[in-house]
Amino acid sequence: MVEYWSVPVTEALKAHGLRIADLATSSTPGFTGDKQKAQELLVQRGEALSGLQEKLFANGRSGDRRSVLLVLQGMDTAGKGGIVRHVIGSVDPQGVDRAAFGVPTDEERRHHYLWRVNKALPRGGQLGVFDRSHYEDVLVVRVHELVPREEWEPRYDEINQFERELIGEGITLVKVAMFVSLDEQKKRLRQRLERPDKYWKFNPSDIDERAYWPAYQEAYQAMLDRTSTADAPWYVLPADHKWYARLAVTELLIDALEKLDLHWPPANFDIAEQLRRLERA
Ligand code: AMP
Ligand code: MG
C-alpha cells in the first residue's frame, strides 16, 4: 500500500455502483494525509511517475506499441487543465501526447464523432491525455439534444466496442471523471471574472450551462453506468480539493504504468565492443 492511502486509489475512486448525486465533492477518498502532505507527496510521486513514463517512452523507441491514455472528463472549472499542468507537467514533454476536444470544427462535423478521436490516439510509448473526449458525444450532445436520442443512444455500446479495440491495440485507458459542487464551480467562475490572469479561461456560456446541471448529472451518471467496463473502468474523482485531485490522478497513472511491468530495453549493440571503440575514439 502506498503511504498515506488507506486503500489503493483504484479502489477508493471506482465508479461501480456510485450515485454521483450522493458524491461528496470535497471528500478525499482513501487519502489519510492533509493538504500539505498531499503537496509534498505530489512532488515525490511526480518523480516516480516521471521515471515510469521514461521507461514507457524508451520501450516505445524499441518498438513496444503499448501506451497509456488518460481521459479527463468534467464540467467547466472541474480542474482538467490543472491536471494537465501539474500531473502531466511532471513528465518529459517529448513523451506526452495531449489533445483537447472542443466544439467540433466544420471538418470534424462532416465525419463520424470518433474520427477526431482516432486521429489523436497516442502512439506506442506515449502518455496520451484527452482533455474532454468522445464522451462529450454522450454528454453535451445528450444534454442539449444536438442530435436526436436515436443517434446518441447507441453510442454507449459503440464507445465500449471502440475502447475494447483500443485496448487490443495496446492502449491502457485511465478514465477519470472529475466533479466539483455547484458552489465550488461558482467560486471558480467568480475567480475567472475577478482575476486578469484567469479571464482567458472564462466563457460566458459557462454560466448558461449551470442551468443544465441536473441534466449533466444525469448524463454523467448514464456515462458511468454504461461505459465503466472491467477493462476500461471509470474513476470518479471528487475535485473540490485540487491538491487531492492531482495526487489521486498521479497515483492512478503510476498504477497503470506499473501494471505494464516495464523494464529498460536491452542494448541492441555489443556493449563491450562499443566500450572498446569509445576508448579508441
Ligand atoms: P473548453 O474545454 O472549456 O475549451 O470547452 C470546450 C467546449 O466544447 C465545451 O463546452 C464542450 O462541451 C464543447 N464540446 C466538446 N465536444 C463537443 C461535441 N462533440 N459537441 C458539442 N460541443 C462539444
Ligand atoms: Mg471552458
Side-chain angles (χ1 to χ4, degrees), residues 76 101-104 116 132 136-137 140-141 146:
D76 261 293
F101 297 93
V103 178
R116 63 177 182 168
R132 302 187 191 270
E136 289 293 323
D137 291 278
V140 66
V141 169
L146 300 179

Side-chain angles (χ1 to χ4, degrees), residues 76 80 100-104 109 113 116 131-134 136-137 140-141 146 192 201 203 205-206 209 216:
D76 261 293
K80 301 184 292 298
F101 297 93
V103 178
R109 230 182 280 280
Y113 69 98
R116 63 177 182 168
D131 180 342
R132 302 187 191 270
S133 66
H134 42 296
E136 289 293 323
D137 291 278
V140 66
V141 169
L146 300 179
R192 291 183 180 183
K201 292 189 194 178
N203 184 337
S205 73
D206 296 346
E209 287 297 87
Y216 270 108

